[in-house]
Amino acid sequence: HSYNPIIAQGASACILHYVENNKPCKDGDLILLDFGAEYANYAGDLSRTIPANGKFTPRQKDVYNATLRVMKFATSKLVVGTTIDAYHAEVCKKMEQELIGLGLFTIEDVKKQAPNAPLFMKYYPHGTSHFMGLD
């Protein structure tokens, strides 16, 4: 593996690079799986979230489906000639739309947001992607 896996649930899943991996999973929890592989000195990673009990609640399903729509949109934008900055900007716009659809904030809130502190960053505080690299 390219790094120690992150297996987190509940509030621990909100900690970037959480590594304790020792909390019990409870009914209704979501489990974050973040793991990487390495081959011929190339490292890559993958993240997934699954329900601990095998079934999403209605709200969890709504969030999952919104995230899936963002992922499919992001994948469609991976075309030759697109820079990573332009790609990230487009994906952030889609994420913002989905977060509005989930009722986390409104279009009116977005119109009033500080330009250097977009509201979506509370829920999406990192880059969309990163390069796969050589160690």
Side-chain angles (χ1 to χ4, degrees):
H1 52 42
S2 57
Y3 59 92
N4 288 330
I6 299 166
I7 313 297
Q9 56 64 260
S12 298
C14 297
I15 300 169
L16 200 58
H17 301 288
Y18 170 82
V19 293
E20 291 179 37
N21 300 332
N22 64 358
K23 304 246 168 73
C25 298
K26 299 179 211 131
D27 188 39
D29 279 348
L30 294 175
I31 304 170
L32 169 69
L33 308 167
D34 188 62
F35 48 93
E38 186 174 328
Y39 178 75
N41 294 320
Y42 280 92
D45 67 313
L46 179 74
S47 297
R48 293 293 181 263
T49 302
I50 58 173
N53 65 7
K55 186 165 172 72
F56 288 115
T57 67
R59 180 63 172 173
Q60 289 169 343
K61 187 175 182 180
D62 289 345
V63 172
Y64 177 88
N65 284 326
T67 304
L68 183 60
R69 286 190 295 273
V70 172
M71 185 191 80
K72 287 180 177 182
F73 174 83
T75 302
S76 77
K77 297 301 176 184
L78 291 171
V79 296
V80 173
T82 302
T83 66
I84 198 163
D85 290 337
Y87 171 69
H88 178 62
E90 284 194 61
V91 174
C92 286
K93 288 178 193 170
K94 178 65 174 169
M95 178 62 77
E96 184 176 76
Q97 292 169 353
E98 292 293 341
L99 294 172
I100 290 168
L102 289 168
L104 295 170
F105 48 82
T106 67
I107 191 73
E108 290 76 25
D109 295 331
V110 171
K111 290 176 184 175
K112 295 185 277 185
Q113 72 187 356
N116 61 341
L119 295 171
F120 73 83
M121 288 199 69
K122 177 179 179 182
Y123 305 96
Y124 190 61
H126 46 71
T128 300
S129 188
H130 57 76
F131 299 103
M132 291 185 65
L134 285 169
D135 270 349

